[in-house]
Amino acid sequence: MPQVSSNQIDPEILSQFGAPMESSNPSSSIKSGSIKPLTELAPGTKLIVAGDRFVEVSPALAKVFKAGDALYAVAATGEVLHVPAATRRTVDDAVARARAAFRRMGAISDAQISEFFVQFSDRLSDDATWRRILEVNERDVAAAKLRGRSTTRLVATDTLRSGVVQGLRGWVSQSSQRGRVIERVQHEGWHADLVGAELGVVGFVFEGRPNVVADATGVLRGGNTVVFRIGRDALGTAKAMLEFALTPALSAAGLPEGAVSLIDSPEHAAGWALFSNQNVSLAVARGSGPAVATLGALAQQAGIPVSLHGTGGAWMCTSATTDVQDFEESVVKSLDRKVCNTLNVCCILQERAQQLLPAFLRGLERAGARRGQGYKLHVAQSSQQYVPSELFTQKLNVRRAEGDVLEPRAELLADGALGTEWEWEDTPEVSVVVVPSLDHAIELFNEHSPQFVATLVSADESEHQRFFQAVNAPFVGDGFTRWVDGQFALRRPELGLANWEHGRLFGRGGVLSGDSVFTVRTRVTRER
């Protein structure tokens, strides 16, 4: 993958782009000619990024590039991304349909939007409809397994169906910011209102999870429209949900069909094109860390507001007042399955290690047994002496995406790698570190974690208050970690959960929900 050079661009390189080699006023704007479409690409061509750096076009990229294709040089990662012309057209057409639908949404009543959620949820509740979706989902799962892909979030289970239906029905009576007067400033003879309004077209890129199709429709509650690209693993299931449930629900409620558009492409390039399309008002990405980082960088380069929901993994901390049984139960409840808010790192206080470490291991054992498995432990190198030595020599079958793999039950982990998120299938997998103090645990979290979920198991209210003030996380809890879920904690379906890995979020919390996607208009009214 091409890497961004750290060298400043020399005059010879600048001259390739039509810029003069010298200027009497270096800060002035230099017109180098009209913009022309790129029709061919030569190996070694230098592409300017971030003002004074460049990436070089590889021979492989130059060979596949054709007129009409698009290139995006990502300054943050050093990638040069290639989007074929056909993929670009597919994405542009989907965004155009969503934009046209958005222009019509202003005339759609709140009652019609509510009716859409009723119709959609009713269709998913219909057993005959659900069986048709399941048939497609079973083919998706089988194909993903053949590719050695994880399928724990892909299977359309009854639990998933129930959660989706519950979430959709929650939107039926949910209010939105559309048309709501947020603030009024009174003047003599007139007043100024700040009024909530629709934002526009929301672009989503999701991993292979069928439920996100329904999640994404939450933005319709506020009068927005949506275009989404879903991973290859769940693309067939998503198309089936649209065909058999979502699109008929739009029609029955009188909403424009383009209000929800699926990009029918499994290629990553479709996501890149979507997040570079300036007709998108908000870009939302959920998935693996590196992929989400690339998408976020693309959107930011295009000037599109972006909400990233990538690297996860929750941290649990203990203190001198931690109750042993409460701690064990918190571990068990935090490891029912692998999602972004699953327990990933546990910090055990050194002075309580003799009591708390055995409770931690019992919790892991129970969590694994519940899934018919054992557990996998990663031990910080500084904490090896606190963990029973036999765990490093024991072998067990760890359920991986590619099948069962015989591995040591416990392995050492560099202290600097505590931020690693373990993507497990059925075998719970966590890291543990023994710390001299709660303050040290907080320091480790702030330095190494994605700054997402931090929870403290403690009976001391003052410790909880200190923990909340010191830990740099949008989600701070007491006990188990799996409460970090918009639908569970806030009773509203979430579009994603954002960490603070790349900084705190402006103007909103870490839960992105359909009713939080809005803008503000200002209206002045004279009082006659």
Side-chain angles (χ1 to χ4, degrees):
M1 181 178 294
Q3 296 297 312
V4 177
S5 170
S6 61
N7 298 323
Q8 290 190 336
I9 298 178
D10 58 38
E12 181 181 354
I13 296 171
L14 286 174
S15 68
Q16 296 182 32
F17 291 85
M21 293 179 63
E22 294 182 4
S23 171
S24 59
N25 183 1
S27 65
S28 64
S29 173
I30 301 172
K31 185 174 178 59
S32 59
S34 60
I35 297 176
K36 300 176 182 178
L38 190 62
T39 58
E40 59 182 356
L41 205 58
T45 300
K46 295 178 174 62
L47 306 176
I48 296 177
V49 294
D52 64 348
R53 292 177 289 166
F54 64 86
V55 291
E56 292 188 352
V57 173
S58 68
L61 177 56
K63 183 177 180 180
V64 299
F65 182 86
K66 296 180 177 61
D69 293 359
L71 290 181
Y72 299 103
V74 185
T77 63
E79 299 166 282
V80 178
L81 306 177
H82 172 230
V83 179
T87 301
R88 192 180 183 186
R89 286 194 298 271
T90 297
V91 172
D92 288 349
D93 288 347
V95 174
R97 290 195 303 272
R99 194 179 184 196
F102 175 70
R103 288 194 289 265
R104 294 177 55 192
M105 286 295 288
I108 300 297
S109 68
D110 288 347
Q112 286 177 278
I113 296 173
S114 293
E115 180 61 19
F116 160 72
F117 289 113
V118 170
Q119 293 284 339
F120 191 12
S121 61
D122 284 352
R123 282 169 167 77
L124 291 179
S125 297
D126 178 70
D127 289 338
T129 300
W130 186 250
R131 278 196 298 272
R132 300 174 78 179
I133 295 171
L134 276 182
E135 290 174 2
V136 179
N137 180 252
E138 288 168 359
R139 293 196 292 269
D140 276 349
V141 172
K145 286 182 176 178
L146 286 175
R147 294 195 296 271
R149 300 278 294 170
S150 170
T151 60
T152 55
R153 307 184 198 185
L154 176 59
V155 179
T157 63
D158 288 339
T159 300
L160 179 142
R161 177 192 185 187
S162 176
V164 167
V165 169
Q166 180 184 359
L168 289 172
R169 289 178 176 164
W171 286 119
V172 174
S173 58
Q174 184 72 39
S175 61
S176 77
Q177 300 292 344
R178 185 171 77 148
R180 186 174 77 86
V181 176
I182 299 171
E183 181 182 351
R184 172 168 292 179
V185 179
Q186 188 67 50
H187 299 267
E188 185 176 348
W190 61 281
H191 60 263
D193 290 334
L194 300 181
V195 185
E198 308 89 336
L199 181 65
V201 177
V202 183
F204 287 94
V205 173
F206 286 140
E207 72 278 34
R209 298 174 64 178
N211 59 296
V212 301
V213 177
D215 292 346
T217 63
V219 301
L220 270 66
R221 178 72 275 175
N224 302 291
T225 59
V226 56
V227 177
F228 66 94
R229 181 260 174 192
I230 198 165
R232 179 190 302 269
D233 294 343
L235 182 57
T237 305
K239 291 164 67 175
M241 291 180 73
L242 260 72
E243 179 181 355
F244 302 131
L246 197 157
T247 301
L250 287 173
S251 178
L255 271 64
E257 183 176 341
V260 180
S261 297
L262 168 67
I263 298 172
D264 189 3
S265 171
E267 305 301 326
H268 289 294
W272 302 336
L274 178 61
F275 274 41
S276 302
N277 189 308
Q278 293 183 329
N279 287 319
V280 171
S281 299
L282 173 67
V284 183
R286 284 169 58 172
S288 64
V292 168
T294 295
L295 288 164
L298 275 175
Q300 289 165 343
Q301 287 181 188
I304 301 170
V306 63
S307 181
L308 302 180
H309 307 260
T311 307
W315 285 48
M316 182 179 293
C317 300
T318 63
S319 77
T321 66
T322 299
D323 178 81
V324 172
Q325 186 60 37
D326 183 28
F327 175 51
E328 181 179 333
E329 292 298 324
S330 295
V331 171
V332 175
K333 292 177 181 178
S334 300
L335 290 169
D336 59 320
R337 66 189 182 102
K338 173 53 191 159
V339 284
C340 66
N341 54 29
T342 298
L343 173 61
N344 195 67
V345 178
C346 188
C347 300
I348 294 178
L349 190 66
Q350 182 178 336
E351 67 181 79
R352 298 289 311 284
Q354 188 173 354
Q355 300 87 30
L356 296 181
L357 190 57
F360 174 64
L361 297 178
R362 288 195 301 270
L364 294 181
E365 192 74 51
R366 289 172 55 192
R370 186 170 53 186
R371 305 180 66 87
Q373 298 288 311
Y375 64 86
K376 175 78 177 189
L377 185 62
H378 298 269
V379 182
Q381 288 180 331
S382 61
S383 308
Q384 181 179 1
Q385 67 269 31
Y386 299 98
V387 177
S389 59
E390 61 268 21
L391 296 184
F392 295 94
T393 57
Q394 290 177 4
K395 300 285 186 178
L396 80 157
N397 281 315
V398 176
R399 183 69 48 83
R400 300 293 184 192
E402 65 272 19
D404 287 357
V405 181
L406 189 64
E407 298 180 14
R409 182 181 293 275
E411 296 185 50
L412 291 179
L413 177 73
D415 286 43
L418 281 171
T420 304
E421 181 183 4
W422 306 111
E423 293 289 351
W424 48 272
E425 291 293 304
D426 282 322
T427 310
E429 188 167 6
V430 297
S431 300
V432 64
V433 58
V434 177
V435 295
S437 66
L438 178 58
D439 287 338
H440 185 70
I442 293 170
E443 289 175 5
L444 289 177
F445 176 89
N446 289 342
E447 181 177 357
H448 297 293
S449 82
Q451 298 179 7
F452 183 43
V453 182
T455 186
L456 174 63
V457 184
S458 168
D460 187 334
E461 179 57 36
S462 64
E463 285 183 332
H464 280 287
Q465 186 60 31
R466 180 160 57 93
F467 187 73
F468 181 78
Q469 295 297 334
V471 73
N472 192 45
F475 303 101
V476 183
D478 177 359
F480 80 114
T481 67
R482 291 274 283 109
W483 64 270
V484 181
D485 176 272
Q487 191 160 321
F488 178 73
L490 303 181
R491 295 177 182 165
R492 64 186 68 175
E494 70 180 44
L495 305 176
L497 300 170
N499 59 33
W500 284 358
E501 189 172 20
H502 301 294
R504 299 190 178 203
L505 306 172
F506 175 70
R508 70 171 182 85
V511 178
L512 180 67
S513 192
D515 59 350
S516 59
V517 179
F518 68 98
T519 189
V520 178
R521 304 173 73 185
T522 305
R523 181 179 185 179
V524 162
T525 303
R526 288 187 294 165
E527 298 165 352
R528 295 176 175 86

